[in-house]
């Protein structure tokens, strides 16, 4: 007969890895990260908290690798974008500036970049020096930011709300007008 470790060992290891590398993840994000395994993940989260291998922040409904974990708003937004692709994701990891995270899906490399208002020139400069080997999903807070960004290899611009709903946009060149894409990311792949 198989024991708990044999049954849930892989999920537990993956869960610990994700919480450790991202440092703080919302409960709803963790559940979406493992489609079809929500009840297993809920049980593992309770078990890992009880063992003090991870910590739960009741104020923000998030789990972290330290007791006083604080959610990184930009990384949280990038995680929501990742979760739109989760069914096809082969690997994902946080990244250093300028990208918040990188993932591989369907043989493509995607960088998720967060651009706060007023940071367009800084990010544009940083991305100009970067290797352009993948597609970029650029998170913005305001639609008019697109007019100030001229970054190569943009698959789409994204706006993410507090509940994790992601809206995708594509800028039309040369007039600079934007138009929303369907919420389903497959419309721009």
């Amino acid at each position: 007969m198989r024991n708990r470790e044999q049954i849930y060992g892989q999920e537990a290891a993956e869960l610990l890895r994700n919480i450790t590398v991202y440092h703080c993840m919302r409960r709803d994000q963790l559940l979406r990260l493992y489609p079809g395994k929500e009840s297993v993940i809920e049980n593992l989260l309770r078990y890992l908290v009880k063992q003090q291998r991870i910590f739960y922040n009741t104020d923000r409904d998030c789990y972290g690798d330290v007791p006083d974990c604080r959610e990184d708003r930009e990384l949280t937004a990038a995680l929501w974008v990742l979760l739109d692709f989760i069914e096809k994701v082969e690997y994902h990891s946080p990244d250093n500036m300028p990208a918040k995270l990188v993932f591989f899906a369907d043989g493509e490399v995607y960088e998720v970049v967060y651009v706060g208002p007023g940071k367009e020139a800084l990010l544009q400069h940083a991305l100009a020096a970067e290797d352009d080997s993948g597609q970029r999903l650029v998170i913005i807070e305001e639609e008019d930011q697109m007019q100030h960004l001229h970054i190569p290899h943009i698959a789409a611009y994204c706006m993410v709300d507090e509940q994790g709903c992601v809206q995708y946009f594509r800028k039309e060149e040369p007039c600079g007008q934007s138009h929303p894409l369907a919420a389903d990311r497959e419309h721009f792949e």
Side-chain angles (χ1 to χ4, degrees):
M1 187 153 87
R2 296 179 354 170
N3 63 22
R4 174 181 264 185
E5 176 62 30
Q6 292 169 324
I7 296 170
Y8 301 119
Q10 181 179 349
E11 284 90 357
E14 287 178 23
L15 193 57
L16 282 170
R17 177 224 176 246
N18 287 321
I19 292 172
T20 302
V21 299
Y22 291 109
H23 302 296
C24 187
M25 293 182 72
R26 289 175 44 170
R27 180 183 157 279
D28 48 356
Q29 289 177 324
L30 285 164
L31 295 177
R32 277 194 51 200
L33 197 57
Y34 302 93
K37 298 182 179 181
E38 292 83 0
S39 63
V40 170
I41 298 305
E42 288 274 14
N43 289 334
L44 285 172
L45 288 169
R46 281 192 295 275
Y47 176 75
L48 293 170
V49 167
K50 185 177 178 182
Q51 297 294 313
Q52 294 188 338
R53 296 187 70 190
I54 62 173
F55 303 91
Y56 179 62
N57 180 328
T58 55
D59 296 336
R60 294 290 298 156
D61 195 22
C62 60
Y63 292 87
D65 57 353
V66 295
D68 60 345
C69 69
R70 301 221 184 260
E71 189 176 5
D72 175 341
R73 189 173 60 90
E74 295 176 7
L75 184 56
T76 296
L79 284 165
W80 285 123
V81 172
L82 167 72
L83 290 169
D84 270 357
F85 292 81
I86 201 62
E87 296 285 338
K88 297 181 179 188
V89 170
E90 300 159 30
Y91 177 80
H92 59 91
S93 180
D95 203 3
N96 293 323
M97 173 77 170
K100 294 304 282 184
L101 66 83
V102 63
F103 66 91
F104 302 99
D106 285 339
E108 284 283 331
V109 177
Y110 290 91
E111 292 181 319
V112 182
V113 178
Y114 186 95
V115 182
K119 305 284 186 195
E120 296 86 1
L122 173 68
L123 264 292
Q124 190 165 298
H125 177 71
L127 290 169
E130 287 283 309
D131 175 29
D132 296 330
S133 59
Q135 295 293 314
R136 293 190 172 116
L137 299 166
V138 179
I139 301 170
I140 55 176
E141 290 185 25
E142 301 163 358
E143 242 184 283
D144 67 345
Q145 286 180 269
M146 287 186 274
Q147 308 318 313
H148 306 289
L149 291 166
H150 306 284
I151 301 169
H153 304 287
I154 293 179
Y157 291 93
C158 315
M159 292 179 72
V160 183
D161 69 16
E162 280 291 315
Q163 290 73 40
C165 294
V166 182
Q167 186 177 15
Y168 296 93
F169 298 87
R170 190 170 278 151
K171 181 170 64 172
E172 304 236 354
E173 300 291 346
C175 65
Q177 294 293 325
S178 66
H179 59 78
L181 299 169
D184 185 354
R185 48 121 178 106
E186 291 180 10
H187 289 287
F188 62 83
E189 288 182 331

